[in-house]
Amino acid sequence: MALTGNEAAAYAMKQINPDVVAAYPITPQTELMQTFAQYVADGLVDTELVAVESEHSAMSACVGAAAAGARTMTATSSQGLALMWEVLYIASGLRLPIVMCVINRALSAPINIHGDHSDAMGARDSGWIQLWSENAQEVYDNVLQAVRIAEEVFLPVMVNYDGFIISHGVEVVETFSDDIVKAFVGERKSPYKLLDVDHPITVGALDLQDYYMEHKRAQAEAMRTAMPTILKVAEEFAEISGRKYGAIEKYSLDDAELAVVAIGSSCGTAKDAIDELREEGIKAGLLKIRVFRPFPWDEIKSALAGKKAIAVMDRAEGMSAVGGPVFHEIRSCLYDLPQRPPVVNYIYGLGGRDVDVEDIKKVFRDLLPIAEAGKVEDFYRYLGVRE
């Protein structure tokens, strides 16, 4: 099927047929909810579509529905995700398996409706699992897997994809029949339901210094141990699709001397750049991060060990004054290696600025003298900005 990224997500949601979807439009997410709302209007799903007055209300509705035992989904972007901030922590703290598509977009100010990762990176520590997509196919595949992951580990899951680049770009997407999707996601089984009056529970109780720390420790443990479930679901997905996903993807990386680390749609651009550089005899490779929360620490450390120089691409300015969020985590991950490779950070593509194959090739060429010297002086850089 020829689908935009938003249509791919909506089609997956139609096949999942969730019990409750809370909807509030925001560019570039609007097409997703508009398409899904049409499915509801046409009677193709049984979903209770809750039209709310804000993103804060959308996530609040999701929390109530999920606590009641309903399979629950929503979607947002940018300032909408920021408006959900308070409730994101409630959803994860209550261990509610909500699935949300985040169509990544820049945060204001200045106002910008195009793609970057500022929204999701700001929410990276809110207790949500984060899956990232390179293209519309991965959007469809990740949405299906997210339902299983969320309901098996009892944590909410964000499925991220770049605004406009993926959300509105049309691609060929391989989809399943409804029966296959129904069998893969299964029925939601919850041991605790707010509406189960025969087994009453308390939700949202006061939790002060006597037990709050133990509850947060347990929540963190759920995130720390979620990776085996994420990989198990990916293996089961591969059995029906032939498309195998991991926490990371290595592209020409095993024998690479120079490596780029990236997330999202720019990974496809990096693959084209690597193919051209390989023809020139430059041993270039890509480490694509698909799962950013939980952070695949051991996989990344192992994959990047022995590289002569590494560039980490951040499509979000962390305002830390020393680099972006992905850079910090990658550099920390490599600290324990006996021989630490030099690592440089590139802030790129903010507010939807184009990044093409030549830009990525420039990054690799910048790594050549760094690899030769074995050290980096200027590790915090911008790509494609007018100075």
Side-chain angles (χ1 to χ4, degrees):
M1 302 174 67
L3 300 172
T4 66
N6 278 338
E7 289 171 341
Y11 192 76
M13 289 172 64
K14 177 182 84 76
Q15 294 184 304
I16 293 165
N17 194 10
D19 299 310
V20 173
V21 166
Y24 189 81
I26 179 171
T27 304
Q29 168 259 58
T30 305
E31 181 193 31
L32 191 170
M33 280 306 176
Q34 180 178 316
T35 304
F36 186 77
Q38 191 64 55
Y39 291 140
V40 176
D42 292 344
L44 299 178
V45 292
D46 303 320
T47 304
E48 182 72 29
L49 184 70
V50 184
V52 292
E53 78 278 12
S54 75
E55 289 87 353
H56 189 282
S57 298
M59 186 49 60
S60 298
C62 287
V63 165
R71 178 170 280 168
T72 306
M73 303 181 74
T74 189
T76 193
S77 296
S78 184
Q79 309 298 128
L81 182 62
L83 188 54
M84 291 179 175
W85 230 253
E86 174 190 359
V87 197
L88 292 180
Y89 286 84
I90 295 172
S92 62
L94 294 178
R95 306 286 304 275
L96 298 174
I98 299 164
V99 172
M100 174 165 61
C101 294
V102 177
I103 297 80
N104 305 117
R105 176 190 136 183
L107 285 168
S108 300
I111 296 173
N112 185 299
I113 62 169
H114 289 280
D116 79 19
H117 299 163
S118 303
D119 49 7
M121 285 299 159
R124 67 188 182 280
D125 298 330
S126 62
W128 285 61
I129 290 172
Q130 286 197 2
L131 304 181
W132 288 77
S133 316
E134 179 185 328
N135 49 45
Q137 182 68 65
E138 292 192 3
V139 171
Y140 176 79
D141 295 348
N142 279 335
V143 170
L144 297 181
Q145 292 177 67
V147 173
R148 288 278 308 280
I149 294 166
E151 294 178 5
E152 292 191 27
V153 301
F154 293 101
L155 286 174
V157 179
M158 292 181 192
V159 176
N160 293 277
Y161 54 98
D162 291 356
F164 288 108
I165 301 168
I166 298 176
S167 66
H168 287 65
V170 178
E171 301 177 53
V172 174
V173 177
E174 294 184 12
T175 59
F176 303 115
S177 68
D178 292 352
D179 289 342
I180 290 177
V181 171
K182 184 178 180 181
F184 179 75
V185 299
E187 296 289 331
R188 182 182 174 192
K189 298 176 182 176
S190 175
Y192 309 108
K193 297 179 182 178
L194 193 61
L195 298 183
D196 183 357
V197 295
D198 294 328
H199 304 88
I201 61 171
T202 298
V203 174
L206 189 67
D207 191 359
L208 301 180
Q209 65 270 39
D210 46 0
Y211 281 108
Y212 180 85
M213 194 165 176
E214 282 73 20
H215 282 122
K216 285 297 162 187
R217 173 68 179 87
Q219 183 185 346
E221 186 68 7
M223 181 65 79
R224 193 183 69 80
T225 57
M227 191 62 80
T229 300
I230 295 170
L231 298 180
K232 176 183 74 74
V233 171
E235 288 180 5
E236 294 179 25
F237 186 81
E239 292 176 2
I240 63 171
S241 68
R243 296 186 291 275
K244 187 169 178 58
Y245 293 94
I248 61 171
E249 178 186 330
K250 295 189 288 184
Y251 187 81
S252 299
L253 189 65
D254 287 340
D255 69 337
E257 296 177 346
L258 312 176
V260 159
V261 180
I263 289 181
S265 63
S266 61
C267 292
T269 309
K271 290 173 180 176
D272 287 342
I274 288 166
D275 290 345
E276 294 184 15
L277 290 170
R278 286 273 172 171
E279 292 178 0
E280 300 174 18
I282 297 176
K283 290 187 174 181
L286 168 71
L287 188 150
K288 178 177 108 179
I289 299 176
R290 172 184 176 245
V291 181
F292 190 61
R293 285 291 183 272
F295 189 72
W297 182 277
D298 291 331
E299 294 92 332
I300 289 175
K301 186 167 66 173
S302 174
L304 294 178
K307 305 308 175 194
K308 291 185 177 179
I310 298 167
V312 179
M313 310 293 289
D314 266 297
R315 202 165 200 148
E317 171 51 87
M319 301 299 174
S320 71
V322 287
V326 181
F327 171 69
H328 288 166
E329 306 220 9
I330 295 292
R331 204 158 186 252
S332 174
C333 170
L334 301 178
Y335 183 81
D336 293 328
L337 289 174
Q339 292 185 320
R340 292 193 290 273
V343 187
V344 61
N345 186 206
Y346 282 89
I347 308 295
Y348 77 103
L350 302 185
R353 176 152 299 181
D354 285 340
V355 177
D356 60 23
V357 171
E358 290 303 317
D359 291 322
I360 303 294
K361 288 169 71 175
K362 176 188 180 302
V363 170
F364 275 110
R365 291 200 169 96
D366 288 349
L367 291 179
L368 287 169
I370 295 173
E372 186 175 347
K375 61 180 181 180
V376 56
E377 302 288 346
D378 176 19
F379 64 83
Y380 178 29
R381 309 177 179 192
Y382 277 79
L383 181 66
V385 70
R386 292 188 293 273
E387 300 285 5

